[in-house]
Amino acid sequence: MFRGRFHHTLDAKGRLRIPTRFREILQKQFNDQLIITNLDRCLIAYPLPEWEKVEEQVGGLSKMSPDIRAFQRFFISGATECSFDKQGRILIPQTLRDYAKLEREVVIAGVLKNFEIWSKPLWDEEIRNSQENFRQIAESVSSYGV
């Protein structure tokens, strides 16, 4: 499971070092296979087996729904397999960097079965919003049995 927040920097070529703790999970459990796509102002990274579960679920949905087709166009078509170099970095494609507004400072946030990659300014805004509305968010989440 991926948990925790890490501050890292994107180099000039668009490479990002993945936190050692996350790399160890990916190596031991998932053979370093990582899929990254766009979602909700950030990038979301899935180990390949978790991504395949998402594809299976989405693939079983009706193609007649305009919302499902739009979701597939945005979320599924944005997916890119990212390989690690010898220094434990991945190259994030320019289209994904542009979408998430990734420049130099980034935050990598573990969210259980996957992790998110945020530009630091957007992350700060997102966390500030979550903190300000946490009571309402917690009440909403509690309705799911948490």
Side-chain angles (χ1 to χ4, degrees):
M1 293 294 143
F2 301 100
R3 61 180 74 93
R5 299 177 193 159
F6 304 87
H7 294 264
H8 283 260
T9 55
L10 199 63
D11 73 11
K13 295 180 180 180
R15 295 176 298 194
L16 177 66
R17 183 177 307 279
I18 299 301
T20 302
R21 185 179 319 161
F22 289 5
R23 241 344 262 293
E24 288 171 353
I25 293 168
L26 289 166
Q27 287 173 333
K28 289 178 184 173
Q29 297 179 21
F30 303 108
N31 298 321
D32 262 354
Q33 295 175 304
L34 190 64
I35 304 292
I36 297 179
T37 192
N38 30 237
L39 179 70
D40 198 24
R41 302 186 328 149
C42 71
L43 303 180
I44 187 163
Y46 289 89
L48 182 59
E50 293 299 327
W51 176 254
E52 289 172 340
K53 291 175 188 176
V54 171
E55 284 182 332
E56 187 173 321
Q57 289 174 322
V58 173
L61 300 173
S62 170
K63 304 295 185 274
M64 299 308 291
S65 166
D67 285 345
I68 292 170
R69 290 193 311 270
F71 178 81
Q72 289 176 330
R73 285 183 201 116
F74 180 73
F75 186 72
I76 302 295
S77 75
T80 303
E81 186 170 346
C82 294
S83 301
F84 288 92
D85 66 12
K86 293 176 184 176
Q87 287 78 37
R89 300 173 302 190
I90 56 171
L91 175 63
I92 299 176
Q94 186 68 50
T95 55
L96 292 177
R97 291 194 315 260
D98 290 345
Y99 168 78
K101 297 181 177 22
L102 298 181
E103 291 178 7
R104 182 112 174 102
E105 293 184 68
V106 300
V107 175
I108 302 169
V111 288
L112 302 179
K113 293 183 179 184
N114 49 56
F115 57 91
E116 298 175 341
I117 303 167
W118 287 83
S119 77
K120 176 128 179 16
L122 289 177
W123 171 261
D124 291 344
E125 181 183 323
E126 185 73 17
I127 287 301
R128 188 172 32 260
N129 183 47
S130 295
Q131 287 172 338
E132 290 170 1
N133 298 294
F134 190 73
R135 178 170 292 214
Q136 180 183 356
I137 293 167
E139 288 175 12
S140 175
V141 170
S142 71
S143 70
Y144 294 99
V146 176

